[in-house]
């Protein structure tokens, strides 16, 4: 047994006859010693196997001898083999997908330009330089990962990464700034994760192909964005490094949506006017300090409870995040864009994540390290330590200690030295290189092999793949649509939620474009039911903002207007079931405020409205700006019409350096005196307080004229308030109609969607085509086919001229007849098909659905239109055919080639 084991291990060979007698004694002794050692090892192994078998027997496990295994293994029936084959065929083996996102099904690589399918000699030289650089880098830095230098393109041709960048300035003004470019790339492309999150992709397609397919990984995103930024004048670079899991997977569920962040309000400190010497002291505060302290304690307790709940929720979320920690943290490969300061007035360098179009500081925690970066001119390798992520990195690409460059001749400045060191170095170089010519070893980067990046207007307008894109944020969801995709003009919707699971909606914001009613934004609060509509300039009623909870009239609402677009200068209107307040600016009468109080209706109709059954007005209060053309004692600051009490209260503006203002109150009496005459004016009907009394203001005539004027102004104010109620009803009706129709405006330059413009253009093209055809017919030689029958050089005789004329006329006549027959045949065919359709409808009228009836009516309408057109063409042809025949006959008589022979012919 030992011999067999040793042979199996290859220690001794097979026993050959006569081999052992010929060997020397020294060899026998050595072999004997080796055999003893091997026997001991084999015995130890057998003892270990016996002990293990004994332990298994104690546990009750079945021990199967090798012979039994061989015995059972040899017994395999045909049925068992078929079952085994069936089970093996059901096993699915997942094959790792290719790194290349572009497949032959999406792009025909054979139709791509030659630069995509092969390399130029200069590109081949560059690849050799890159390989040499990579070998030196691997030798000097064996613990670093291989460099990302020349992946395969869509044609499976290795291309250097710098030549894949094609700087392009887009023809759209919206794509001139970095934020709009990044947002376009993030919206236009669909994210595809890397097949291996720990390694860069083996394929890197061109930006033109990526735009055509509208999908790509982070390297495709960054290449396209870097090309656009370089074309726009930015100092941009593609960065190959390591990012967080959220960054690599485009997971924004832990980030706050930028649209929900409210801008910081800049509080402007109001300049306090110096106190006047004779100012009135404010009244004493008679509120209870004990109650204030109790209320403050109560509010502090509520805030403390809210903070405790918030901390508890944060601790829970932190525990969940810690439980779901990324095992590949710091190893996930990601590509993003670096924009250095200097060009385009960029004050500070920053990162751009191409997936989300968000900008980050170079010290952000999402970016965990950098391996290399490149642009269209050179390639740099990071030689700095990234133990503290990217926070300590210095992006001075001219420093060869921190950044190792691939090619000489980079436009980045080298590390600066002092003037003394520079002069010493120059002197030493002059002495050493005296009489020697410097050899230029620089190698310029080849031009990009990618074609010019072009984005069609349709693709630029469509933006999102399939017209829609959804982004999930922390407690928010952002939806984007292409313009004109939704019939109501909706292009963006932001939904915010109370919980992290996004089940309880707090508010919804909807953005609109191309609305005929100029609606731009709708803000819906799901808790309070408040809806706020924002309109762009151009609304028929100059409406700017409309806040409401119900579209029913005489409910709480606020309307704000563009005051420059209105004649009355109305800025804002607030309405409640019992009041209506209006604010004005820039009026000729200096009116700034009007407040109307309404009372309950006396008549109760089924449909109460301001037009059929207006609400009775109880009080109208109006305020005015200061009119510098009048004295302050005669310039009314506020007036109140107490309609039910028949009183009018006036308060005038206060003079400068005065603390009190003049006041006046008029009482309207309708009773009669002792003789039965109506009382017109008495001294007790005007109560006034004047800062500086004047004699003429005490006269009854002055007071009477003032009261009459105020009565007229009261009627005017009541009429204006009634008109305001009617205007509110008109605006509400208009808004309901616009919301039901939600008609979209189409530019006259949009020939694809503007039907009127397209029809006008087609009509113009048709008229031009007909005019061209008439000119061609006029230039045609109608005798050429018949003159071709004559021999070359043969002179025309009178008989031949007569025969040519008759043949030409008969041929033209036959063509007219054929055209008439063709129109008649088409007319009869359309008529027969319509009759068959009508007969089919009569037979199946009972079983038809509403949709089938609509299709039948549509077909009948189109068929009748075609029949009428054919009938008109046939009648017109019958009218014009004789005239055309006579016109041709006249032309033949006047033709210079036949006029001599047909002069006497009638």
């Amino acid at each position: 047994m030992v011999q067999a084991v040793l042979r199996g291990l290859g220690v001794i060979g097979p026993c050959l006859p006569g081999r052992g007698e010929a060997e020397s004694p020294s060899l026998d002794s050595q072999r004997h010693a080796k055999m003893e050692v091997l026997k001991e090892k084999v015995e130890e192994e057998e003892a270990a196997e016996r002990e293990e078998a004994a332990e298994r027997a104690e546990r009750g496990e079945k021990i199967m001898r090798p012979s039994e295994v061989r015995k059972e293994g040899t017994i395999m029936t045909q049925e068992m083999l078929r079952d085994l084959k069936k089970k093996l065929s059901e096993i699915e083996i997942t094959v790792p997908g290719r790194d290349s996102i572009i497949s032959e099904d999406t792009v025909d690589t054979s139709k791509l330009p030659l630069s995509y399918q092969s390399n130029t000699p200069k590109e081949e030289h560059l690849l050799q330089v890159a390989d040499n650089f990579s070998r030196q880098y691997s030798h000097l830095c064996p613990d670093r990962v291989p460099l990302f230098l020349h992946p395969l393109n869509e044609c499976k041709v290795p291309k250097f990464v710098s030549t894949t960048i094609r700087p392009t300035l887009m023809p759209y003004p919206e794509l001139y700034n970095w934020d709009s470019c990044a947002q376009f790339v993030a919206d236009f492309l669909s994210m595809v994760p890397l097949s291996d999150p720990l390694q860069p992709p083996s394929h890197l397609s061109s930006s033109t192909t990526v735009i055509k397919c509208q999908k790509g990984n982070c390297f495709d995103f960054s290449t396209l964005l870097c090309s656009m930024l370089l074309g726009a004048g930015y100092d941009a670079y593609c960065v190959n490094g390591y990012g967080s899991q959220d960054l690599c997977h485009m997971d924004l569920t832990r980030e706050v949506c930028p649209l929900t962040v409210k801008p910081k309000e800049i509080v402007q400190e109001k300049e306090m006017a110096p106190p006047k010497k004779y100012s009135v002291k404010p009244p004493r505060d008679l509120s209870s300090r004990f109650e204030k302290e109790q209320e403050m304690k109560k509010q502090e307790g509520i805030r403390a409870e809210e903070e405790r709940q918030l901390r508890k929720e944060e601790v829970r979320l932190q525990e969940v995040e810690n439980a779901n920690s990324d095992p590949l943290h710091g190893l996930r490969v990601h590509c993003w864009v670096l924009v250095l300061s200097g060009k385009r007035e960029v004050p500070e360098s920053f990162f751009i994540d191409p997936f989300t179009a968000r900008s980050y500081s170079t010290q952000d925690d999402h970016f965990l390290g950098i391996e290399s970066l490149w642009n269209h001119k050179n390639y740099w390798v990071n030689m700095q330590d990234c133990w503290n992520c990217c926070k300590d990195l210095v992006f001075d690409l001219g420093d060869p200690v921190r950044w190792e460059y691939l090619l000489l001749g980079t436009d980045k400045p080298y590390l600066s030295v002092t003037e003394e060191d520079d002069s010493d170095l120059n002197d030493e170089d002059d002495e050493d290189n005296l009489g020697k010519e410097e050899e230029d070893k620089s190698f310029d980067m080849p031009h990009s092999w990618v074609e010019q990046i072009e984005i069609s207007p349709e693709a630029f307008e469509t933006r999102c793949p399939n017209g829609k894109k959804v982004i999930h944020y922390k407690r928010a969801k952002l939806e984007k649509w292409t313009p004109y995709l939704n019939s109501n003009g909706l292009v963006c919707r932001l939904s915010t939620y109370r919980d992290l699971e996004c089940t309880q909606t707090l508010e919804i914001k909807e953005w609109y474009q191309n609305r005929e009613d100029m609606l731009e934004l709708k803000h819906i609060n799901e808790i309070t039911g408040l809806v706020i509509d924002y309109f762009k300039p151009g609304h028929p009623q100059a409406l700017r903002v409309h806040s409401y909870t119900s579209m029913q009239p005489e409910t709480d609402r606020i309307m704000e207007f563009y005051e420059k677009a209105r004649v009355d200068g109305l800025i804002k209107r607030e309405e409640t079931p019992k009041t209506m307040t209006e604010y004005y600016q820039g009026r000729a009468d200096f009116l700034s405020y009007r407040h109307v109080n309404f009372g309950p209706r006396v008549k109760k109709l089924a449909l109460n409205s301001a037009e059929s059954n207006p609400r009775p007005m109880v009080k109208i209060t109006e305020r005015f700006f200061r009119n510098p053309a009048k004295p302050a004692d005669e310039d009314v600051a506020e007036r109140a019409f107490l309609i039910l009490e028949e009183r009018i209260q006036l308060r005038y503006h206060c003079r400068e350096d005065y603390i009190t203002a003049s006041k006046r109150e008029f009482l309207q009496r309708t009773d009669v005196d002792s003789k039965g005459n109506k009382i017109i004016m008495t001294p007790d009907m005007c109560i006034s307080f004047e800062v500086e009394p004047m004699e003429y203001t005490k006269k009854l005539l002055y007071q009477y004229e003032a009261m009459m004027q105020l009565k007229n102004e009261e009627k005017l104010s009541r009429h204006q308030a009634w008109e305001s109620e009617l205007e509110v009803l008109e605006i509400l009706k208009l808004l309901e109609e616009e919301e039901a129709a939600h008609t979209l405006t189409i530019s006259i330059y949009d020939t694809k969607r503007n039907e009127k413009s397209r029809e006008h253009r087609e009509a113009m093209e048709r008229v031009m085509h007909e005019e061209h055809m008439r000119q061609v017919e006029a230039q045609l030689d109608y005798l050429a086919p018949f003159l071709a029958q004559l021999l070359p050089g043969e002179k025309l005789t009178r008989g031949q001229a007569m025969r040519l004329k008759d043949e030409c006329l008969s041929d033209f006549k036959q063509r007219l007849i054929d055209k008439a027959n063709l129109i008649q045949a088409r007319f009869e065919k359309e008529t027969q098909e319509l009759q068959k359709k009508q007969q089919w409808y009569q037979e199946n009228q009972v079983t038809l659905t509403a949709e089938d009836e609509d299709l039948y009516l549509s077909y009948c309408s189109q068929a009748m239109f075609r029949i009428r057109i054919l009938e008109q063409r046939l009648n017109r042809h019958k009218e014009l055919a004789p005239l055309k025949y006579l016109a041709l006959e006249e032309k033949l008589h006047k033709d210079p080639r036949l006029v001599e022979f047909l002069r006497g012919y009638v």
Side-chain angles (χ1 to χ4, degrees):
M1 178 180 177
V2 176
Q3 296 289 336
V5 173
L6 294 176
R7 289 192 190 97
L9 295 174
V11 177
I12 62 175
C15 297
L16 299 176
R19 184 79 179 267
E21 292 82 358
E23 293 178 351
S24 62
S26 61
L27 293 177
D28 289 341
S29 59
Q30 293 177 2
R31 180 178 296 169
H32 181 72
K34 293 180 180 179
M35 291 292 293
E36 291 294 334
V37 175
L38 292 174
K39 285 179 181 180
E40 292 177 0
K41 290 184 178 179
V42 172
E43 289 175 358
E44 291 177 359
E45 292 177 359
E46 289 179 351
E49 288 179 359
R50 284 194 296 270
E51 291 178 0
E52 185 179 357
E55 292 177 358
R56 289 182 179 178
E58 291 177 359
R59 293 196 301 266
E61 297 181 1
K62 182 179 179 181
I63 303 175
M64 184 175 291
R65 297 178 181 273
S67 60
E68 296 178 358
V69 174
R70 290 194 297 269
K71 184 177 179 181
E72 292 184 1
T74 55
I75 302 174
M76 292 289 291
T77 62
Q78 293 294 332
E79 186 178 356
M80 295 172 64
L81 289 174
R82 285 194 296 268
D83 294 341
L84 181 60
K85 184 178 180 181
K86 183 179 179 181
K87 291 179 180 179
L88 292 175
S89 63
E90 292 177 355
I91 298 176
E92 296 181 359
I93 301 175
T94 58
V95 181
R98 292 175 54 195
D99 288 340
S100 178
I101 301 172
I102 311 302
S103 61
E104 296 180 358
D105 298 335
T106 56
V107 176
D108 188 3
T109 56
S110 61
K111 296 182 179 179
L112 294 176
L114 187 61
S115 60
Y116 287 59
Q117 304 178 24
S118 61
N119 287 322
T120 62
K122 195 171 184 179
E123 289 178 332
E124 292 290 348
H125 187 194
L126 177 61
L127 294 178
Q128 295 176 4
V129 172
D131 289 335
N132 184 25
F133 182 83
S134 178
R135 286 192 297 269
Q136 296 182 30
Y137 172 78
S138 301
H139 177 71
L140 296 175
C141 306
D143 56 337
R144 300 270 304 259
V145 298
L147 295 176
F148 183 68
L149 291 172
H150 43 72
L152 304 178
N153 68 351
E154 54 266 41
C155 297
K156 300 181 181 179
V157 177
K159 295 287 185 178
F160 192 68
V161 289
S162 295
T163 60
T164 309
I165 298 177
R166 177 64 183 266
T168 305
L169 177 61
M170 295 300 169
Y172 307 102
E174 296 87 349
L175 300 182
Y176 187 63
N177 296 323
W178 71 265
D179 50 352
S180 57
C181 290
Q183 192 62 54
F184 172 79
V185 173
D187 292 341
F188 188 76
L189 301 180
S190 297
M191 189 272 287
V192 178
L194 295 174
S195 58
D196 186 358
L198 306 181
Q199 293 181 0
S202 61
H203 291 71
L204 182 61
S205 303
S206 62
S207 298
T208 55
T209 306
V210 171
I211 288 175
K212 184 177 181 180
C213 298
Q214 278 194 278
K215 61 181 179 180
N217 53 37
C218 55
F219 287 83
D220 299 321
F221 274 69
S222 300
T223 301
L224 176 58
L225 178 58
C226 187
S227 301
M228 296 172 63
L229 294 179
L230 287 172
Y234 288 94
D235 193 9
Y237 302 83
C238 291
V239 182
N240 173 29
Y242 305 95
S244 62
Q245 184 179 9
D246 296 342
L247 198 69
C248 297
H249 290 174
M250 193 182 168
D251 185 8
L252 298 175
T253 54
R254 301 182 187 179
E255 301 290 337
V256 179
C257 181
L259 297 177
T260 59
V261 178
K262 297 181 180 179
K264 295 182 180 180
E265 297 181 358
I266 301 175
V267 180
Q268 297 181 355
E269 296 181 358
K270 296 182 179 180
E271 297 181 0
M272 300 296 294
K276 296 181 180 180
K277 184 177 181 180
Y278 300 102
S279 61
V280 180
K281 294 182 179 181
R284 294 180 61 186
D285 185 11
L286 302 179
S287 58
S288 174
R289 285 180 293 178
F290 176 75
E291 291 180 354
K292 287 184 177 180
E293 292 177 357
Q294 294 297 113
E295 184 66 23
M296 289 177 62
K297 290 181 180 179
K298 182 179 178 181
Q299 295 295 332
E300 289 178 358
I302 294 174
R303 285 195 296 269
E305 180 65 21
E306 291 178 355
E307 291 178 358
R308 189 180 67 82
Q309 293 291 341
L310 185 59
R311 285 196 300 269
K312 184 178 179 181
E313 181 70 14
E314 290 178 354
V315 170
R316 187 183 69 83
L317 294 177
Q318 189 65 31
E319 291 177 355
V320 173
E321 291 180 2
N322 294 336
N324 299 330
S325 59
D326 183 18
L328 301 178
H329 183 73
L331 301 176
R332 295 183 182 275
V333 175
H334 190 59
C335 185
W336 63 92
V337 176
L338 165 67
V339 179
L340 293 182
S341 59
K343 294 185 179 180
R344 288 295 303 272
E345 300 179 359
V346 176
E348 186 178 359
S349 302
F350 61 93
F351 292 147
I352 302 176
D353 180 26
F355 283 161
T356 60
R358 302 184 68 177
S359 62
Y360 296 88
S361 170
T362 55
Q363 300 181 356
D364 195 270
D365 295 333
H366 285 90
F367 304 92
L368 307 178
I370 294 178
E371 288 289 345
S372 59
L373 57 87
W374 64 90
N375 63 359
H376 63 298
K377 293 183 178 180
N378 211 338
Y379 187 95
W380 291 267
V381 180
N382 179 29
M383 306 304 294
Q384 305 172 70
D385 193 358
C386 296
W387 68 272
N388 195 20
C389 300
C390 298
K391 298 179 181 179
D392 299 333
L393 296 186
V394 178
F395 294 96
D396 182 10
L397 302 184
D399 186 354
V401 177
R402 294 187 174 96
W403 296 94
E404 184 68 33
Y405 54 86
L406 175 68
L407 301 179
L408 294 174
T410 174
D411 57 346
K412 291 298 173 184
Y414 292 102
L415 188 65
S416 60
V417 295
T418 60
E419 294 181 0
E420 297 178 358
D421 297 339
D422 192 12
S423 61
D424 296 340
L425 290 174
N426 290 335
D427 295 339
E428 294 176 0
D429 291 343
D430 293 340
E431 294 175 359
D432 296 340
N433 299 328
L434 186 62
K436 298 181 180 179
E437 295 182 359
E438 294 184 357
E439 182 181 359
D440 186 11
K441 298 183 180 180
S442 63
F443 179 78
D444 295 334
M445 183 70 67
H447 294 291
S448 177
W449 55 274
V450 182
E451 283 191 328
Q452 185 78 15
I453 301 175
E454 295 181 356
I455 300 175
S456 62
E458 292 79 8
F460 178 72
E461 183 181 0
T462 303
R463 291 285 180 103
C464 309
N466 299 325
K468 183 179 179 180
K469 196 162 191 177
V470 181
I471 305 175
H472 294 274
Y473 292 94
K474 185 178 181 180
R475 295 190 178 92
K477 181 176 70 172
L478 182 63
E479 302 170 88
K480 296 181 180 181
W481 290 273
T482 300
Y484 296 104
L485 181 64
N486 296 320
S487 59
N488 59 350
L490 181 64
V491 295
C492 185
R493 177 190 290 140
L494 174 64
S495 304
T496 56
Y497 302 90
R498 186 192 301 273
D499 55 340
L500 292 175
E501 291 76 14
C502 297
T503 57
Q504 303 177 7
T505 308
L506 287 178
E507 62 181 18
I508 298 175
K509 289 184 179 181
E510 297 178 344
W511 285 265
Y512 297 85
Q513 285 185 7
N514 308 311
R515 289 275 296 230
E516 197 172 43
D517 58 354
M518 298 299 171
L519 179 62
E520 184 178 20
L521 172 63
K522 183 184 288 291
H523 187 183
I524 305 172
N525 192 321
E526 295 290 342
I527 298 178
T528 61
L530 179 65
V531 182
I532 306 177
D533 295 340
Y534 297 87
F535 298 85
K536 294 188 295 185
H539 191 270
Q541 299 292 341
L543 190 63
R544 187 170 68 89
V545 182
H546 182 207
S547 306
Y548 59 94
T549 55
S550 174
M551 290 297 290
Q552 296 296 326
E554 301 178 9
T555 56
D556 293 340
R557 74 181 66 257
I558 298 176
M559 294 183 179
E560 299 181 15
F561 302 88
Y562 292 96
E563 68 275 6
K564 294 183 179 180
R566 292 182 62 97
V567 181
D568 56 357
L570 179 62
I571 300 176
K572 185 178 180 181
R573 178 184 287 131
E574 299 177 357
E575 186 180 10
T576 64
K578 297 295 182 182
T579 62
M580 183 173 64
T581 308
E582 296 177 335
Y583 301 87
Y584 297 89
Q585 187 176 4
R587 287 175 61 104
D589 57 357
F590 296 94
L591 177 65
S592 63
Y593 171 87
R594 178 185 287 130
H595 181 79
V596 183
N597 294 84
F598 298 98
R601 285 187 172 88
V602 180
K603 299 179 182 179
K604 295 184 178 180
L605 302 178
L607 295 174
N608 293 320
S609 65
E611 189 173 1
S612 60
N613 186 19
R615 293 176 291 178
M617 301 178 190
V618 178
K619 181 181 178 182
I620 300 177
T621 304
E622 295 178 341
R623 296 172 186 167
F624 299 85
F625 290 114
R626 179 74 174 90
N627 185 2
K630 292 182 179 181
D633 293 338
E634 298 179 4
D635 189 13
V636 177
E638 179 180 338
R639 66 186 181 190
F641 300 104
L642 286 74
I643 299 173
L644 296 182
E645 301 177 9
E646 296 184 346
R647 287 191 301 160
I648 302 175
Q649 297 176 349
L650 301 179
R651 181 176 61 84
Y652 295 89
H653 283 280
C654 184
R655 290 185 179 184
E656 294 183 1
D657 300 332
Y658 279 66
I659 60 175
T660 57
S662 300
K663 298 181 181 179
R664 186 172 285 117
E665 182 177 357
F666 292 92
L667 304 176
Q668 303 181 40
R669 296 176 59 183
T670 57
D671 51 356
V672 295
D673 55 8
S674 58
K675 296 182 180 180
N677 298 324
K678 183 178 179 180
I679 298 177
I680 298 176
M681 192 67 195
T682 57
D684 59 346
M685 293 175 64
C686 179
I687 303 173
S688 61
F689 167 76
E690 299 181 15
V691 178
E692 292 184 359
M694 305 294 292
E695 286 294 332
Y696 70 91
T697 58
K698 298 180 180 179
K699 296 182 179 180
L700 291 179
L701 179 61
Y702 173 80
Q703 297 175 0
Y704 172 75
E705 291 177 351
M707 189 173 66
M708 290 297 103
Q709 183 179 0
L710 289 174
K711 283 185 176 181
N712 295 332
E713 292 178 351
E714 179 184 352
K715 293 179 181 179
L716 180 61
S717 298
R718 294 177 64 179
H719 181 72
Q720 291 178 352
W722 177 72
E723 287 184 343
S724 297
E725 287 189 273
L726 294 181
E727 184 182 8
V728 171
L729 295 178
E730 182 181 355
I731 292 176
L732 294 179
K733 183 179 178 181
L734 180 62
L735 292 177
E736 289 179 352
E737 293 176 355
E738 291 171 344
E739 187 64 27
H742 48 73
T743 308
L744 302 182
T745 59
I746 302 175
S747 174
I748 58 174
Y749 302 104
D750 190 353
T751 57
K752 184 178 180 181
R753 297 187 181 93
N754 198 320
E755 296 182 359
K756 294 182 179 180
S757 177
R758 186 176 66 253
E759 291 175 359
H760 178 70
R761 187 183 71 257
E762 291 176 355
M764 294 293 294
E765 292 177 355
R766 187 168 55 253
V767 170
M768 294 177 62
H769 179 69
E770 293 176 355
E771 181 66 24
H772 176 69
M773 293 303 295
R774 281 196 295 268
Q775 294 178 0
V776 171
E777 290 180 0
Q779 295 176 359
L780 289 177
D781 187 4
Y782 37 83
L783 286 177
F786 305 98
L787 292 174
Q789 300 175 5
L790 301 178
L791 297 176
E794 183 181 358
K795 293 185 179 180
L796 190 64
T797 62
R798 182 180 179 85
Q800 291 175 342
M802 295 292 293
R803 182 168 55 81
L804 287 176
K805 179 181 77 70
D806 295 339
E807 289 179 356
C808 184
L809 290 175
S810 61
D811 181 73
F812 183 70
K813 181 178 179 181
Q814 187 62 37
R815 285 168 56 193
L816 293 176
I817 295 172
D818 293 343
K819 185 176 181 180
N821 293 335
L822 179 62
I823 299 175
Q824 181 69 28
R826 290 181 180 176
F827 176 79
E828 293 175 355
K829 181 180 178 181
E830 291 288 346
T831 306
Q832 291 175 2
E833 291 180 355
L834 179 61
Q835 291 175 356
K836 291 180 181 179
K837 195 70 175 178
Q838 290 175 348
Q839 184 179 359
W840 172 83
Y841 177 76
Q842 294 295 334
E843 294 174 355
N844 304 288
Q845 184 176 5
V846 181
T847 60
L848 292 179
T849 61
E851 185 178 358
D852 294 336
E853 290 184 358
D854 293 340
L855 294 175
Y856 168 74
L857 294 176
S858 176
Y859 173 80
C860 291
S861 176
Q862 296 177 4
M864 291 299 297
F865 174 76
R866 292 193 296 269
I867 290 174
R868 285 196 300 270
I869 293 298
L870 291 172
E871 186 178 2
Q872 292 177 3
R873 289 182 61 186
L874 183 59
N875 294 333
R876 180 174 176 80
H877 179 72
K878 291 179 179 179
E879 294 176 359
L880 297 179
L883 300 178
K884 292 181 178 179
Y885 184 84
L886 295 176
L888 179 60
E889 187 177 8
E890 185 178 357
K891 286 182 180 180
L892 292 175
H893 280 281
K894 295 181 179 179
D895 191 275
R897 292 166 294 184
L898 304 178
V899 65
E900 297 180 0
F901 305 103
L902 302 179
R903 185 175 298 172
Y905 177 77
V906 180

